Amino acid sequence: MHHSIHDEPHLSNRNHWLRAAVLGANDGLISTASLLVGVAAANPSSQTMLLTGLAALTAGALSMAAGEYISVSSQADTEKADLTKEQYELTHNADRELFELTKIYETRGLDHTLAHQVAVALTEHDALEAHARDEIGLTDLSQAKPIHASVASGLSFIAGAILPVIGVMVLPAQTLVWSLASITLLGLILLGVISARLGGAPVIPAIVRIISWGAIAMLATSMIGRLFGVVV
């Protein structure tokens, strides 16, 4: 049976969207839950809680999507400028660029003759692609994709934020602070497991990291909410 050289999946291929999705869901869950826990500690009405949650979800998702788009667009602009500069050098200093590529392959363990042969072959095939990959470090998989990152961030923020918002609607008002904190921690555990599985990383460290920061955030906002509630 013939096997493709690409039979073995590489989890790092997911990095360009996994980072944005995990960051968005984590931010959506922790920031929205922390805000609601803090507000709940001041004993507002259920309508105020719901409106607060929906406002946090909407504003947070739009902010996350816009921020990610701007950030990744800046990265894409830098990459484009690097490629333009590299194309100029290939056009005007072809011999020097071939020498640079040869030296790169020599530092990776090839002898000079073989390194030169590889550099010549790749230059003839696609000079800009060879230099983008091996000199600059750009590949199709690693190139910045603003729209992908923006959509992934916004949708994942909503996916994370929706849990505490639903909690506000269904959990009893008398124990809302602790109930919200509990379902948020459960959500963080689930998010830690999912992100670790998708990225092929150890599960326990991922869960510990995400729970620790989530708990700190909720504790801090709860204390602020209680102080606010006492003053009012």
Side-chain angles (χ1 to χ4, degrees), residues 34-70:
S34 297
L35 176 62
L36 289 174
V37 166
V39 173
N43 298 312
S45 68
S46 58
Q47 183 181 17
T48 299
M49 287 292 297
L50 182 57
L51 288 175
T52 299
L54 292 174
L57 183 151
T58 304
L62 292 174
S63 175
M64 176 66 75
E68 193 72 14
Y69 181 84
I70 293 169

PDB file of all heavy atoms in Angstrom, residues 34-70:
ATOM      1  N   SER A  34     -15.980  36.977  35.428  1.00  0.00           N
ATOM      2  CA  SER A  34     -15.421  37.817  36.486  1.00  0.00           C
ATOM      3  C   SER A  34     -16.254  39.073  36.678  1.00  0.00           C
ATOM      4  O   SER A  34     -16.540  39.490  37.799  1.00  0.00           O
ATOM      5  CB  SER A  34     -13.973  38.194  36.148  1.00  0.00           C
ATOM      6  OG  SER A  34     -13.158  37.051  36.082  1.00  0.00           O
ATOM      7  N   LEU A  35     -16.656  39.691  35.565  1.00  0.00           N
ATOM      8  CA  LEU A  35     -17.498  40.890  35.652  1.00  0.00           C
ATOM      9  C   LEU A  35     -18.824  40.575  36.330  1.00  0.00           C
ATOM     10  O   LEU A  35     -19.272  41.300  37.228  1.00  0.00           O
ATOM     11  CB  LEU A  35     -17.743  41.444  34.245  1.00  0.00           C
ATOM     12  CG  LEU A  35     -18.694  42.645  34.139  1.00  0.00           C
ATOM     13  CD1 LEU A  35     -18.135  43.834  34.906  1.00  0.00           C
ATOM     14  CD2 LEU A  35     -18.937  43.000  32.682  1.00  0.00           C
ATOM     15  N   LEU A  36     -19.449  39.469  35.932  1.00  0.00           N
ATOM     16  CA  LEU A  36     -20.750  39.113  36.492  1.00  0.00           C
ATOM     17  C   LEU A  36     -20.635  38.719  37.963  1.00  0.00           C
ATOM     18  O   LEU A  36     -21.524  39.029  38.763  1.00  0.00           O
ATOM     19  CB  LEU A  36     -21.378  37.977  35.680  1.00  0.00           C
ATOM     20  CG  LEU A  36     -21.852  38.382  34.275  1.00  0.00           C
ATOM     21  CD1 LEU A  36     -22.314  37.162  33.495  1.00  0.00           C
ATOM     22  CD2 LEU A  36     -22.967  39.413  34.369  1.00  0.00           C
ATOM     23  N   VAL A  37     -19.556  38.036  38.324  1.00  0.00           N
ATOM     24  CA  VAL A  37     -19.351  37.699  39.733  1.00  0.00           C
ATOM     25  C   VAL A  37     -19.186  38.967  40.561  1.00  0.00           C
ATOM     26  O   VAL A  37     -19.742  39.095  41.659  1.00  0.00           O
ATOM     27  CB  VAL A  37     -18.122  36.774  39.897  1.00  0.00           C
ATOM     28  CG1 VAL A  37     -17.699  36.690  41.363  1.00  0.00           C
ATOM     29  CG2 VAL A  37     -18.436  35.369  39.371  1.00  0.00           C
ATOM     30  N   GLY A  38     -18.416  39.917  40.022  1.00  0.00           N
ATOM     31  CA  GLY A  38     -18.236  41.175  40.742  1.00  0.00           C
ATOM     32  C   GLY A  38     -19.518  41.950  40.883  1.00  0.00           C
ATOM     33  O   GLY A  38     -19.833  42.480  41.955  1.00  0.00           O
ATOM     34  N   VAL A  39     -20.309  42.002  39.808  1.00  0.00           N
ATOM     35  CA  VAL A  39     -21.585  42.712  39.862  1.00  0.00           C
ATOM     36  C   VAL A  39     -22.560  41.991  40.783  1.00  0.00           C
ATOM     37  O   VAL A  39     -23.285  42.619  41.556  1.00  0.00           O
ATOM     38  CB  VAL A  39     -22.177  42.857  38.442  1.00  0.00           C
ATOM     39  CG1 VAL A  39     -23.589  43.441  38.496  1.00  0.00           C
ATOM     40  CG2 VAL A  39     -21.280  43.735  37.585  1.00  0.00           C
ATOM     41  N   ALA A  40     -22.583  40.652  40.701  1.00  0.00           N
ATOM     42  CA  ALA A  40     -23.495  39.869  41.542  1.00  0.00           C
ATOM     43  C   ALA A  40     -23.206  40.083  43.014  1.00  0.00           C
ATOM     44  O   ALA A  40     -24.114  40.058  43.852  1.00  0.00           O
ATOM     45  CB  ALA A  40     -23.389  38.389  41.194  1.00  0.00           C
ATOM     46  N   ALA A  41     -21.932  40.304  43.357  1.00  0.00           N
ATOM     47  CA  ALA A  41     -21.563  40.519  44.754  1.00  0.00           C
ATOM     48  C   ALA A  41     -22.146  41.808  45.311  1.00  0.00           C
ATOM     49  O   ALA A  41     -22.258  41.977  46.526  1.00  0.00           O
ATOM     50  CB  ALA A  41     -20.039  40.537  44.895  1.00  0.00           C
ATOM     51  N   ALA A  42     -22.541  42.726  44.412  1.00  0.00           N
ATOM     52  CA  ALA A  42     -23.156  43.987  44.852  1.00  0.00           C
ATOM     53  C   ALA A  42     -24.686  43.888  44.918  1.00  0.00           C
ATOM     54  O   ALA A  42     -25.355  44.882  45.167  1.00  0.00           O
ATOM     55  CB  ALA A  42     -22.747  45.119  43.910  1.00  0.00           C
ATOM     56  N   ASN A  43     -25.221  42.674  44.656  1.00  0.00           N
ATOM     57  CA  ASN A  43     -26.660  42.386  44.761  1.00  0.00           C
ATOM     58  C   ASN A  43     -27.551  43.269  43.889  1.00  0.00           C
ATOM     59  O   ASN A  43     -28.465  43.946  44.382  1.00  0.00           O
ATOM     60  CB  ASN A  43     -27.120  42.512  46.228  1.00  0.00           C
ATOM     61  CG  ASN A  43     -26.429  41.511  47.135  1.00  0.00           C
ATOM     62  OD1 ASN A  43     -26.363  40.327  46.796  1.00  0.00           O
ATOM     63  ND2 ASN A  43     -25.897  41.986  48.244  1.00  0.00           N
ATOM     64  N   PRO A  44     -27.321  43.308  42.573  1.00  0.00           N
ATOM     65  CA  PRO A  44     -28.201  44.080  41.695  1.00  0.00           C
ATOM     66  C   PRO A  44     -29.435  43.255  41.328  1.00  0.00           C
ATOM     67  O   PRO A  44     -29.572  42.099  41.729  1.00  0.00           O
ATOM     68  CB  PRO A  44     -27.324  44.325  40.466  1.00  0.00           C
ATOM     69  CG  PRO A  44     -26.500  43.070  40.392  1.00  0.00           C
ATOM     70  CD  PRO A  44     -26.250  42.638  41.825  1.00  0.00           C
ATOM     71  N   SER A  45     -30.320  43.823  40.504  1.00  0.00           N
ATOM     72  CA  SER A  45     -31.489  43.083  40.042  1.00  0.00           C
ATOM     73  C   SER A  45     -31.077  42.079  38.972  1.00  0.00           C
ATOM     74  O   SER A  45     -30.014  42.194  38.363  1.00  0.00           O
ATOM     75  CB  SER A  45     -32.519  44.057  39.446  1.00  0.00           C
ATOM     76  OG  SER A  45     -32.023  44.629  38.251  1.00  0.00           O
ATOM     77  N   SER A  46     -31.921  41.089  38.746  1.00  0.00           N
ATOM     78  CA  SER A  46     -31.632  40.061  37.752  1.00  0.00           C
ATOM     79  C   SER A  46     -31.576  40.663  36.349  1.00  0.00           C
ATOM     80  O   SER A  46     -30.787  40.221  35.502  1.00  0.00           O
ATOM     81  CB  SER A  46     -32.692  38.964  37.811  1.00  0.00           C
ATOM     82  OG  SER A  46     -33.987  39.501  37.594  1.00  0.00           O
ATOM     83  N   GLN A  47     -32.412  41.689  36.097  1.00  0.00           N
ATOM     84  CA  GLN A  47     -32.395  42.339  34.796  1.00  0.00           C
ATOM     85  C   GLN A  47     -31.058  43.050  34.556  1.00  0.00           C
ATOM     86  O   GLN A  47     -30.495  43.000  33.462  1.00  0.00           O
ATOM     87  CB  GLN A  47     -33.539  43.344  34.686  1.00  0.00           C
ATOM     88  CG  GLN A  47     -33.626  44.015  33.314  1.00  0.00           C
ATOM     89  CD  GLN A  47     -34.758  45.025  33.219  1.00  0.00           C
ATOM     90  OE1 GLN A  47     -35.286  45.455  34.244  1.00  0.00           O
ATOM     91  NE2 GLN A  47     -35.137  45.397  32.015  1.00  0.00           N
ATOM     92  N   THR A  48     -30.558  43.707  35.590  1.00  0.00           N
ATOM     93  CA  THR A  48     -29.257  44.375  35.490  1.00  0.00           C
ATOM     94  C   THR A  48     -28.156  43.366  35.208  1.00  0.00           C
ATOM     95  O   THR A  48     -27.259  43.614  34.386  1.00  0.00           O
ATOM     96  CB  THR A  48     -28.939  45.131  36.796  1.00  0.00           C
ATOM     97  OG1 THR A  48     -29.933  46.124  37.016  1.00  0.00           O
ATOM     98  CG2 THR A  48     -27.569  45.784  36.725  1.00  0.00           C
ATOM     99  N   MET A  49     -28.220  42.218  35.873  1.00  0.00           N
ATOM    100  CA  MET A  49     -27.223  41.175  35.656  1.00  0.00           C
ATOM    101  C   MET A  49     -27.240  40.687  34.209  1.00  0.00           C
ATOM    102  O   MET A  49     -26.183  40.529  33.572  1.00  0.00           O
ATOM    103  CB  MET A  49     -27.483  40.001  36.605  1.00  0.00           C
ATOM    104  CG  MET A  49     -27.120  40.267  38.052  1.00  0.00           C
ATOM    105  SD  MET A  49     -25.332  40.445  38.289  1.00  0.00           S
ATOM    106  CE  MET A  49     -24.781  38.807  37.806  1.00  0.00           C
ATOM    107  N   LEU A  50     -28.422  40.437  33.684  1.00  0.00           N
ATOM    108  CA  LEU A  50     -28.547  39.933  32.321  1.00  0.00           C
ATOM    109  C   LEU A  50     -28.046  40.955  31.303  1.00  0.00           C
ATOM    110  O   LEU A  50     -27.299  40.617  30.371  1.00  0.00           O
ATOM    111  CB  LEU A  50     -29.994  39.551  32.023  1.00  0.00           C
ATOM    112  CG  LEU A  50     -30.260  38.961  30.629  1.00  0.00           C
ATOM    113  CD1 LEU A  50     -29.405  37.730  30.389  1.00  0.00           C
ATOM    114  CD2 LEU A  50     -31.738  38.636  30.465  1.00  0.00           C
ATOM    115  N   LEU A  51     -28.454  42.209  31.486  1.00  0.00           N
ATOM    116  CA  LEU A  51     -28.005  43.255  30.576  1.00  0.00           C
ATOM    117  C   LEU A  51     -26.486  43.426  30.646  1.00  0.00           C
ATOM    118  O   LEU A  51     -25.825  43.648  29.626  1.00  0.00           O
ATOM    119  CB  LEU A  51     -28.704  44.576  30.906  1.00  0.00           C
ATOM    120  CG  LEU A  51     -30.188  44.662  30.545  1.00  0.00           C
ATOM    121  CD1 LEU A  51     -30.789  45.970  31.038  1.00  0.00           C
ATOM    122  CD2 LEU A  51     -30.384  44.520  29.034  1.00  0.00           C
ATOM    123  N   THR A  52     -25.940  43.334  31.841  1.00  0.00           N
ATOM    124  CA  THR A  52     -24.493  43.433  32.010  1.00  0.00           C
ATOM    125  C   THR A  52     -23.789  42.308  31.259  1.00  0.00           C
ATOM    126  O   THR A  52     -22.783  42.532  30.569  1.00  0.00           O
ATOM    127  CB  THR A  52     -24.113  43.362  33.500  1.00  0.00           C
ATOM    128  OG1 THR A  52     -24.730  44.454  34.192  1.00  0.00           O
ATOM    129  CG2 THR A  52     -22.605  43.438  33.684  1.00  0.00           C
ATOM    130  N   GLY A  53     -24.313  41.095  31.393  1.00  0.00           N
ATOM    131  CA  GLY A  53     -23.709  39.952  30.720  1.00  0.00           C
ATOM    132  C   GLY A  53     -23.772  40.074  29.208  1.00  0.00           C
ATOM    133  O   GLY A  53     -22.777  39.811  28.512  1.00  0.00           O
ATOM    134  N   LEU A  54     -24.914  40.470  28.681  1.00  0.00           N
ATOM    135  CA  LEU A  54     -25.064  40.614  27.231  1.00  0.00           C
ATOM    136  C   LEU A  54     -24.182  41.740  26.688  1.00  0.00           C
ATOM    137  O   LEU A  54     -23.600  41.620  25.604  1.00  0.00           O
ATOM    138  CB  LEU A  54     -26.534  40.876  26.882  1.00  0.00           C
ATOM    139  CG  LEU A  54     -27.490  39.705  27.119  1.00  0.00           C
ATOM    140  CD1 LEU A  54     -28.938  40.132  26.865  1.00  0.00           C
ATOM    141  CD2 LEU A  54     -27.120  38.517  26.227  1.00  0.00           C
ATOM    142  N   ALA A  55     -24.092  42.839  27.449  1.00  0.00           N
ATOM    143  CA  ALA A  55     -23.234  43.941  27.029  1.00  0.00           C
ATOM    144  C   ALA A  55     -21.771  43.511  27.019  1.00  0.00           C
ATOM    145  O   ALA A  55     -21.015  43.844  26.090  1.00  0.00           O
ATOM    146  CB  ALA A  55     -23.423  45.139  27.966  1.00  0.00           C
ATOM    147  N   ALA A  56     -21.356  42.767  28.042  1.00  0.00           N
ATOM    148  CA  ALA A  56     -19.978  42.288  28.120  1.00  0.00           C
ATOM    149  C   ALA A  56     -19.676  41.334  26.975  1.00  0.00           C
ATOM    150  O   ALA A  56     -18.599  41.378  26.372  1.00  0.00           O
ATOM    151  CB  ALA A  56     -19.740  41.595  29.464  1.00  0.00           C
ATOM    152  N   LEU A  57     -20.627  40.461  26.656  1.00  0.00           N
ATOM    153  CA  LEU A  57     -20.442  39.505  25.560  1.00  0.00           C
ATOM    154  C   LEU A  57     -20.299  40.234  24.228  1.00  0.00           C
ATOM    155  O   LEU A  57     -19.368  39.959  23.449  1.00  0.00           O
ATOM    156  CB  LEU A  57     -21.623  38.536  25.526  1.00  0.00           C
ATOM    157  CG  LEU A  57     -21.590  37.397  24.487  1.00  0.00           C
ATOM    158  CD1 LEU A  57     -22.363  36.192  25.004  1.00  0.00           C
ATOM    159  CD2 LEU A  57     -22.185  37.835  23.146  1.00  0.00           C
ATOM    160  N   THR A  58     -21.203  41.163  23.961  1.00  0.00           N
ATOM    161  CA  THR A  58     -21.191  41.866  22.675  1.00  0.00           C
ATOM    162  C   THR A  58     -19.950  42.736  22.516  1.00  0.00           C
ATOM    163  O   THR A  58     -19.237  42.647  21.507  1.00  0.00           O
ATOM    164  CB  THR A  58     -22.450  42.752  22.543  1.00  0.00           C
ATOM    165  OG1 THR A  58     -23.617  41.940  22.703  1.00  0.00           O
ATOM    166  CG2 THR A  58     -22.478  43.434  21.183  1.00  0.00           C
ATOM    167  N   ALA A  59     -19.695  43.570  23.516  1.00  0.00           N
ATOM    168  CA  ALA A  59     -18.546  44.474  23.438  1.00  0.00           C
ATOM    169  C   ALA A  59     -17.240  43.689  23.412  1.00  0.00           C
ATOM    170  O   ALA A  59     -16.311  44.022  22.663  1.00  0.00           O
ATOM    171  CB  ALA A  59     -18.558  45.436  24.626  1.00  0.00           C
ATOM    172  N   GLY A  60     -17.156  42.638  24.221  1.00  0.00           N
ATOM    173  CA  GLY A  60     -15.944  41.845  24.278  1.00  0.00           C
ATOM    174  C   GLY A  60     -15.649  41.137  22.970  1.00  0.00           C
ATOM    175  O   GLY A  60     -14.505  41.105  22.507  1.00  0.00           O
ATOM    176  N   ALA A  61     -16.683  40.559  22.349  1.00  0.00           N
ATOM    177  CA  ALA A  61     -16.489  39.840  21.092  1.00  0.00           C
ATOM    178  C   ALA A  61     -16.030  40.798  19.990  1.00  0.00           C
ATOM    179  O   ALA A  61     -15.105  40.482  19.229  1.00  0.00           O
ATOM    180  CB  ALA A  61     -17.782  39.137  20.682  1.00  0.00           C
ATOM    181  N   LEU A  62     -16.673  41.958  19.905  1.00  0.00           N
ATOM    182  CA  LEU A  62     -16.290  42.931  18.885  1.00  0.00           C
ATOM    183  C   LEU A  62     -14.883  43.470  19.138  1.00  0.00           C
ATOM    184  O   LEU A  62     -14.093  43.649  18.207  1.00  0.00           O
ATOM    185  CB  LEU A  62     -17.298  44.083  18.854  1.00  0.00           C
ATOM    186  CG  LEU A  62     -18.703  43.717  18.358  1.00  0.00           C
ATOM    187  CD1 LEU A  62     -19.646  44.899  18.501  1.00  0.00           C
ATOM    188  CD2 LEU A  62     -18.655  43.251  16.909  1.00  0.00           C
ATOM    189  N   SER A  63     -14.583  43.727  20.405  1.00  0.00           N
ATOM    190  CA  SER A  63     -13.263  44.234  20.752  1.00  0.00           C
ATOM    191  C   SER A  63     -12.181  43.197  20.451  1.00  0.00           C
ATOM    192  O   SER A  63     -11.120  43.518  19.894  1.00  0.00           O
ATOM    193  CB  SER A  63     -13.221  44.617  22.233  1.00  0.00           C
ATOM    194  OG  SER A  63     -11.918  45.013  22.611  1.00  0.00           O
ATOM    195  N   MET A  64     -12.451  41.949  20.802  1.00  0.00           N
ATOM    196  CA  MET A  64     -11.493  40.877  20.550  1.00  0.00           C
ATOM    197  C   MET A  64     -11.259  40.696  19.058  1.00  0.00           C
ATOM    198  O   MET A  64     -10.123  40.575  18.595  1.00  0.00           O
ATOM    199  CB  MET A  64     -11.993  39.569  21.170  1.00  0.00           C
ATOM    200  CG  MET A  64     -11.119  38.364  20.892  1.00  0.00           C
ATOM    201  SD  MET A  64      -9.481  38.444  21.649  1.00  0.00           S
ATOM    202  CE  MET A  64      -9.888  38.107  23.349  1.00  0.00           C
ATOM    203  N   ALA A  65     -12.355  40.676  18.274  1.00  0.00           N
ATOM    204  CA  ALA A  65     -12.236  40.495  16.826  1.00  0.00           C
ATOM    205  C   ALA A  65     -11.471  41.654  16.193  1.00  0.00           C
ATOM    206  O   ALA A  65     -10.583  41.454  15.356  1.00  0.00           O
ATOM    207  CB  ALA A  65     -13.623  40.373  16.205  1.00  0.00           C
ATOM    208  N   ALA A  66     -11.823  42.894  16.591  1.00  0.00           N
ATOM    209  CA  ALA A  66     -11.154  44.066  16.025  1.00  0.00           C
ATOM    210  C   ALA A  66      -9.683  44.103  16.420  1.00  0.00           C
ATOM    211  O   ALA A  66      -8.810  44.372  15.579  1.00  0.00           O
ATOM    212  CB  ALA A  66     -11.852  45.344  16.502  1.00  0.00           C
ATOM    213  N   GLY A  67      -9.407  43.819  17.685  1.00  0.00           N
ATOM    214  CA  GLY A  67      -8.024  43.831  18.153  1.00  0.00           C
ATOM    215  C   GLY A  67      -7.172  42.789  17.450  1.00  0.00           C
ATOM    216  O   GLY A  67      -6.029  43.053  17.066  1.00  0.00           O
ATOM    217  N   GLU A  68      -7.736  41.603  17.266  1.00  0.00           N
ATOM    218  CA  GLU A  68      -6.999  40.534  16.597  1.00  0.00           C
ATOM    219  C   GLU A  68      -6.774  40.890  15.133  1.00  0.00           C
ATOM    220  O   GLU A  68      -5.700  40.648  14.577  1.00  0.00           O
ATOM    221  CB  GLU A  68      -7.774  39.215  16.709  1.00  0.00           C
ATOM    222  CG  GLU A  68      -6.976  37.994  16.336  1.00  0.00           C
ATOM    223  CD  GLU A  68      -5.913  37.627  17.356  1.00  0.00           C
ATOM    224  OE1 GLU A  68      -5.947  38.159  18.489  1.00  0.00           O
ATOM    225  OE2 GLU A  68      -5.024  36.821  17.024  1.00  0.00           O
ATOM    226  N   TYR A  69      -7.788  41.475  14.494  1.00  0.00           N
ATOM    227  CA  TYR A  69      -7.649  41.856  13.081  1.00  0.00           C
ATOM    228  C   TYR A  69      -6.546  42.902  12.908  1.00  0.00           C
ATOM    229  O   TYR A  69      -5.698  42.790  12.013  1.00  0.00           O
ATOM    230  CB  TYR A  69      -8.970  42.404  12.550  1.00  0.00           C
ATOM    231  CG  TYR A  69      -8.897  42.782  11.088  1.00  0.00           C
ATOM    232  CD1 TYR A  69      -9.075  41.822  10.099  1.00  0.00           C
ATOM    233  CD2 TYR A  69      -8.636  44.102  10.708  1.00  0.00           C
ATOM    234  CE1 TYR A  69      -8.988  42.161   8.752  1.00  0.00           C
ATOM    235  CE2 TYR A  69      -8.546  44.442   9.367  1.00  0.00           C
ATOM    236  CZ  TYR A  69      -8.731  43.474   8.400  1.00  0.00           C
ATOM    237  OH  TYR A  69      -8.634  43.807   7.075  1.00  0.00           O
ATOM    238  N   ILE A  70      -6.556  43.912  13.776  1.00  0.00           N
ATOM    239  CA  ILE A  70      -5.548  44.963  13.684  1.00  0.00           C
ATOM    240  C   ILE A  70      -4.151  44.410  13.946  1.00  0.00           C
ATOM    241  O   ILE A  70      -3.190  44.710  13.226  1.00  0.00           O
ATOM    242  CB  ILE A  70      -5.869  46.098  14.681  1.00  0.00           C
ATOM    243  CG1 ILE A  70      -7.154  46.816  14.256  1.00  0.00           C
ATOM    244  CG2 ILE A  70      -4.715  47.091  14.766  1.00  0.00           C
ATOM    245  CD1 ILE A  70      -7.693  47.773  15.298  1.00  0.00           C
TER     246      ILE A  70
END
